[in-house]
Amino acid sequence: MKGSCLCGAIEYAVDQLDAAIGHCHCRTCRKAHSAAFASTARVNQEHFHWIKGKEKLSSFESSPGKLRQFCSVCGSHLVAVRLGQPYVILRVGSLDDDPGVKPQYHIWTSHHAPWLDYEGLPEHAEWQPGR
Ligand SMILES: [Zn+2]
Ligand SMILES: [Zn+2]
C-alpha cells in the first residue's frame, strides 16, 4: 500500500503493517499532529520504502533518540523513527490505501485531551447541514 504527505512531494510504500494500529494520546503526538491523538503502527524497516521526495523530509527529535519525520513543504508527519530500532512508527493517517485492519488499542490516555469526546456525536458524510 502507498502513502503520501498532504502536498504530494513525498510518497512511500509499505509492504505490510508489522503490528496492530493503536491510537496514541501522548502530548508529543498531540502536538506533532495538532490532533486529539495519532493513529500509528510499527512497520519493519525492510517493509517500508520511500518512493519519492525523501530529500524533502525534515525531522524533529521530540524525545531523546526519537525523530519525527515530516514533509518540509506541507508539514505532514509521516513516520517516527527511534535510533537503533529496526522499525518505523508509521502515522497511519498518511496512508492513501486501506490497510484492511482496525485499531486495537489506545495508549498514553493519561495525556488524553480533556475536550476529546467522539462517542455518540452526530456524523455527517461531509459538512454538517446548514453550514
Ligand atoms: Zn508535503
Ligand atoms: Zn504518542
Side-chain angles (χ1 to χ4, degrees):
M1 62 203 130
K2 285 189 176 178
S4 59
C5 65
L6 174 61
C7 75
I10 302 174
E11 293 179 1
Y12 62 83
V14 168
D15 301 328
Q16 64 184 61
L17 303 183
D18 290 300
I21 299 170
H23 298 311
C24 183
H25 297 248
C26 82
R27 182 182 179 280
T28 52
C29 280
R30 284 172 46 202
K31 291 286 185 182
H33 292 267
S34 193
F37 55 82
S39 305
T40 70
R42 285 185 185 183
V43 176
N44 293 339
Q45 294 275 7
E46 68 266 28
H47 295 147
F48 184 89
H49 318 280
W50 296 109
I51 296 174
K52 71 168 191 174
K54 190 181 179 194
E55 72 283 355
K56 295 224 167 58
L57 279 175
S58 288
S59 65
F60 176 71
E61 189 171 14
S62 62
S63 49
K66 180 171 182 171
L67 296 172
R68 292 175 179 271
Q69 297 187 310
F70 56 93
C71 175
S72 60
V73 179
C74 69
S76 289
H77 187 358
L78 299 171
V79 299
V81 296
R82 281 192 184 279
L83 298 176
Q85 294 293 343
Y87 55 81
V88 303
I89 308 165
L90 178 69
R91 318 327 275 190
V92 176
S94 67
L95 281 174
D96 295 306
D97 299 315
D98 182 357
V101 292
K102 302 292 185 187
Q104 299 295 311
Y105 58 86
H106 294 260
I107 53 173
W108 280 96
T109 58
S110 61
H111 289 191
H112 192 270
W115 48 265
L116 177 61
D117 183 12
Y118 51 91
E119 300 294 343
L121 296 183
E123 297 183 19
H124 310 287
E126 293 183 2
W127 297 111
Q128 67 275 39
R131 184 184 179 276

